[in-house]
Amino acid sequence: MAHLQLTALAGGAGDEMEEVALLGSYDVEAGPVAASDEEAGMRRVQDEDIVEAIEDAGFEAEILPDSTVSQPKSQKTLSGQFRIGGMTCAACVNSVEGILKKLPGVKRAVVALATSLGEVEYDPSAISKDEIVQAIEDAGFDAALLQSSEQDKVLLSVTGLHTEGDVDVLHDILKKIEGLRQFGVNFGNSEIEIVFDPEVVGLRQIVDTIEMESNDRLKAHVQNPYLQAASNDAQEASKTLHLLLSSLLLSIPVFFIRMVCPHIPLISSFLVMHFGPFCIGDLLKWILVSMIQFVVGKRFYIAAYRALRHGSTNMDVLVVIGTTASYVYSVCALLYGAFTGFHPPIYFETSAMIITFVLFGKYLEVLAKGKTSDAIKKLVELAPATALLLLKDKEGKYSGEKEIDASLVQPGDTLKVLPGSKVPADGVVIWGTSHVNESMVTGESVPISKEVSSPVIGGTMNLHGVLHIQATKVGSGTVLSQIISLVETAQMSKAPIQKFADYVASIFVPIVITLSLLTFLAWFLCGWLGAYPNSWSAESSNCFVFSLMFSISVVVIACPCALGLATPTAVMVATGVGANHGVLVKGGDALERAQNVKYVIFDKTGTLTQGKATVTTAKIFSGMDLGDFLTLVASAE
């Protein structure tokens, strides 16, 4: 690429002339492309030819070297949405956000605990989405890219990938598609990630080529990130429920051995029998609790290790400290009693019940997270899944119609909208007349008349006549997509009270651990100095065990803390309920300020109606009983 400085003389109102420096650039290497046999013999343009042509026109020209012209830096910023798994509290959120903000090229990072999502604005020339995912995983969390603002990158799910041979066939097809920059095939998930040039090839053309070249053996579909997120939520809920049931089934026998079986003579006599130096009852509890502690509770140890490895603390650290202290003490007490004959009390059931209750709380949290995103799911469902594409022949006449995935609609496509179906994309009517229910967007209950040149909104319902529309905006450019984006932004935003809760949560775990240690020291010193009667600690055998139980209790009580989840869940539920009723809240800060609103003024009364009559009062002006009258009305209906 060469650059020219053109010196032109621009005349003013008088005789004075002004020298103007113009910068231009052209591609010398490319040269003119031969379009015919006559043009094929033309030589490529050279620098001197352009200078001579400009000077012949009466201007002065000078060739500038590339180094003298500063190339503009890439100002393109992408916005990516990432699913982040393994976050359990606000401390995890702060940890992930801190890691993301330190990455080079990351402009902004917001992480939401209630949705397990992170929104990151980054410079693709400085950092890639794979590096962002890797940074999150290095911090001890699971991560995956859900969607990106980069329009020429898309994830396709492929049906028919059963063998390695099918993968080879797909590779050969993709290599032949012009305009496809790069692609990656994930055989395990039957997915392909493609990067393409939208000016050369369209997404629909890629999908059609895959189906046609494979003789319909392979079919590609654009993945909906919201449905994928719903699937992930269902998998997480199922996994947590499985762990909860496993812990519960193992904890119930431990509880019965400790609380119920001693009151049943036959079972009690069996449990106190010795198997070597151990009582059978204690041995059974040890085995059952060990399975709960290290098999079911393995996830807590992994999460706590990852957090501590990166210098942060979270609720998993509290769970691990509390349960491990109780378990280790009980094992030591059991071994001490087996070899000395003096049996101090053991607390295996404490460890088992803590893990069971915490898992129950985790399961409720997962269910809450799934329900909070219902608003977005309902908004996504407003858009139709398919569209009727009108096909044209070489002469431009309509030759038929084809049902395609709505996500494959391209600007300029002509679509047929039947009565009772939804408009697949924003566009303009080019044929037909009808009425369209646009209450989804405008709140106006009265159907809007549509004729040629009338605009239509994707997701609205066509009521009467057949319409032919020309798509003008698709994908993220549609009104419905912008509404969904607004609701997402509101759910991701943090209210001022939530920022305070995040700060408290960041120092919560160290404070709890400190209080636990102080509790132990205070009770131990009091027992050592005789500040309380010995009868208080008689059951615990000594003041050390007595003080340790208080210390563990402090940690245990703090374990199921909902501080980090309560506020974001409240924000999400509020914005979601508002979206379901047509009220869009722009963020947590607006929601928090809404408590001070005293008056709401509407500029239209039509938007406050539901568009259909309802019975408000029923009165009888004769001797008939109201119940009998309503029975007759219901029968007539």
Side-chain angles (χ1 to χ4, degrees), residues 39-344:
E39 296 174 351
M42 293 177 63
R43 67 181 180 86
R44 291 190 175 184
V45 66
Q46 301 295 325
D47 299 353
E48 293 77 11
D49 298 332
I50 296 177
V51 171
E52 184 179 351
I54 296 171
E55 289 178 345
D56 289 344
F59 302 97
E60 296 178 4
E62 176 187 357
I63 299 176
L64 295 177
D66 290 346
S67 58
T68 60
V69 179
S70 59
Q71 295 291 337
K73 295 182 179 179
S74 175
Q75 298 296 326
K76 185 179 180 183
T77 301
L78 295 182
S79 177
Q81 195 174 77
F82 297 82
R83 170 161 289 276
I84 305 172
M87 295 189 299
T88 56
C89 61
C92 299
V93 173
N94 294 336
S95 177
V96 176
E97 283 187 352
I99 290 169
L100 290 175
K101 290 176 180 177
K102 292 177 182 177
L103 294 176
V106 173
K107 311 294 183 183
R108 185 180 69 93
V110 179
V111 178
L113 175 63
T115 55
S116 298
L117 294 178
E119 193 172 279
V120 183
E121 287 185 10
Y122 62 98
D123 183 358
S125 63
I127 190 171
S128 68
K129 59 98 176 175
D130 293 326
E131 291 173 328
I132 294 175
V133 170
Q134 187 62 44
I136 298 173
E137 290 180 343
D138 288 342
F141 303 93
D142 300 325
L145 177 69
L146 278 185
Q147 59 182 346
S148 173
S149 59
E150 191 173 11
Q151 296 298 319
D152 56 356
K153 181 182 291 186
V154 70
L155 192 66
L156 301 177
S157 60
V158 183
T159 56
L161 285 179
H162 303 302
T163 63
E164 292 292 340
D166 296 330
V167 176
D168 295 335
V169 171
L170 181 60
H171 268 279
D172 294 336
I173 295 173
L174 294 175
K175 288 177 182 177
K176 297 177 183 177
I177 299 178
E178 187 178 357
L180 202 63
R181 297 175 187 167
Q182 64 184 58
F183 62 88
V185 181
N186 187 331
F187 178 62
N189 296 332
S190 297
E191 295 174 348
I192 53 174
E193 186 181 84
I194 60 174
V195 179
F196 63 97
D197 186 351
E199 296 181 0
V200 178
V201 64
L203 184 58
R204 185 168 71 238
Q205 184 180 347
I206 295 173
V207 172
D208 292 342
T209 302
I210 293 173
E211 294 183 6
M212 185 171 58
E213 294 293 329
S214 65
N215 296 323
D216 289 336
R217 279 196 303 129
L218 303 177
K219 293 186 179 294
H221 307 278
V222 180
Q223 280 200 0
N224 189 322
Y226 301 103
L227 297 180
Q228 185 182 359
S231 175
N232 290 335
D233 288 338
Q235 290 178 3
E236 186 179 357
S238 175
K239 184 178 179 180
T240 307
L241 179 61
H242 177 73
L243 289 174
L244 173 62
L245 292 177
S246 301
S247 182
L248 192 62
L249 289 175
L250 293 170
S251 298
I252 289 175
V254 175
F255 174 79
F256 269 83
I257 291 173
R258 172 65 187 267
M259 305 300 295
V260 178
C261 293
H263 302 286
I264 304 176
L266 183 63
I267 299 178
S268 177
S269 59
F270 170 74
L271 293 177
V272 297
M273 292 174 60
H274 279 72
F275 183 81
F278 304 105
C279 290
I280 291 179
D282 293 339
L283 202 58
L284 287 174
K285 286 194 289 185
W286 188 5
I287 295 172
L288 292 172
V289 173
S290 295
M291 295 173 63
I292 297 173
Q293 186 75 30
F294 301 111
V295 178
V296 177
K298 182 177 70 173
R299 66 186 299 274
F300 296 112
Y301 282 94
I302 294 174
Y305 167 73
R306 289 173 174 174
L308 293 173
R309 187 181 65 182
H310 289 85
S312 62
T313 54
N314 55 25
M315 295 302 165
D316 293 312
V317 175
L318 290 181
V319 174
V320 168
I321 290 176
T323 57
T324 304
S326 176
Y327 177 84
V328 170
Y329 162 75
S330 298
V331 171
C332 292
L334 187 63
L335 295 174
Y336 180 77
F339 293 107
T340 64
F342 178 76
H343 297 277

Side-chain angles (χ1 to χ4, degrees), residues 5-10 17-21 60:
Q5 176 170 311
L6 313 179
T7 304
L9 297 178
M17 307 298 287
E18 181 182 0
E19 188 177 275
V20 182
E60 296 178 4

Side-chain angles (χ1 to χ4, degrees), residues 358-441:
V358 171
L359 283 174
F360 180 64
K362 297 290 183 189
Y363 180 63
L364 294 180
E365 288 179 9
V366 172
L367 293 181
K369 291 177 182 178
K371 291 181 180 179
T372 50
S373 56
D374 281 347
I376 291 182
K377 293 175 188 174
K378 291 179 180 178
L379 288 173
V380 172
E381 290 170 357
L382 291 175
T386 59
L388 278 176
L389 175 68
L390 294 178
L391 305 175
K392 295 182 181 180
D393 55 20
K394 295 181 180 179
E395 299 178 355
K397 296 181 180 179
Y398 296 117
S399 59
E401 58 188 48
K402 177 184 178 183
E403 188 174 25
I404 63 171
D405 193 324
S407 58
L408 300 179
V409 175
Q410 299 172 355
D413 285 345
T414 302
L415 306 172
K416 182 178 181 180
V417 186
L418 299 173
S421 62
K422 293 180 179 179
V423 179
D426 293 3
V428 178
V429 177
I430 59 174
W431 180 87
T433 58
S434 181
H435 285 79
V436 176
N437 182 358
E438 295 184 346
S439 59
M440 173 199 81
V441 175

Side-chain angles (χ1 to χ4, degrees), residues 573-588:
V573 170
T575 53
V577 170
N580 286 338
H581 291 82
V583 179
L584 299 180
V585 183
K586 296 198 71 172

Side-chain angles (χ1 to χ4, degrees), residues 434-616:
S434 181
H435 285 79
V436 176
N437 182 358
E438 295 184 346
S439 59
M440 173 199 81
V441 175
T442 63
E444 183 61 60
S445 58
V446 179
I448 308 298
S449 175
K450 298 294 180 182
E451 54 188 17
V452 176
S453 300
S454 297
V456 289
I457 303 172
T460 56
M461 181 70 73
N462 180 27
L463 299 179
H464 302 118
V466 177
L467 293 177
H468 290 182
I469 68 167
Q470 186 175 40
T472 56
K473 294 181 180 179
V474 298
S476 59
T478 62
V479 172
L480 181 59
S481 294
Q482 291 172 0
I483 293 175
I484 293 173
S485 177
L486 183 63
V487 174
E488 279 185 326
T489 303
Q491 293 188 343
M492 291 287 291
S493 66
K494 294 185 178 181
I497 187 63
Q498 185 179 343
K499 294 178 181 178
F500 176 73
D502 287 349
Y503 169 73
V504 173
S506 66
I507 60 175
F508 180 74
V509 177
I511 289 176
V512 169
I513 295 174
T514 303
L515 290 175
S516 176
L517 293 175
L518 290 176
T519 302
F520 172 79
L521 292 174
W523 281 100
F524 181 74
L525 289 175
C526 289
W528 187 54
L529 297 174
Y532 56 81
N534 292 332
S535 58
W536 287 15
S537 59
E539 294 184 0
S540 301
S541 72
N542 57 56
C543 65
F544 175 81
V545 176
F546 185 64
S547 305
L548 183 63
M549 288 300 103
F550 277 105
S551 178
I552 293 175
S553 299
V554 173
V555 177
V556 168
I557 291 171
C559 283
C561 173
L563 177 67
L565 186 68
T567 307
T569 302
V571 171
M572 287 200 61
V573 170
T575 53
V577 170
N580 286 338
H581 291 82
V583 179
L584 299 180
V585 183
K586 296 198 71 172
D589 54 344
L591 188 67
E592 187 172 332
R593 291 199 302 268
Q595 62 178 333
N596 299 320
V597 173
K598 295 182 179 180
Y599 305 100
V600 180
I601 302 174
F602 295 90
D603 63 341
K604 289 176 66 180
T605 56
T607 57
L608 304 181
T609 63
Q610 294 186 357
K612 54 184 179 181
T614 57
V615 177
T616 58

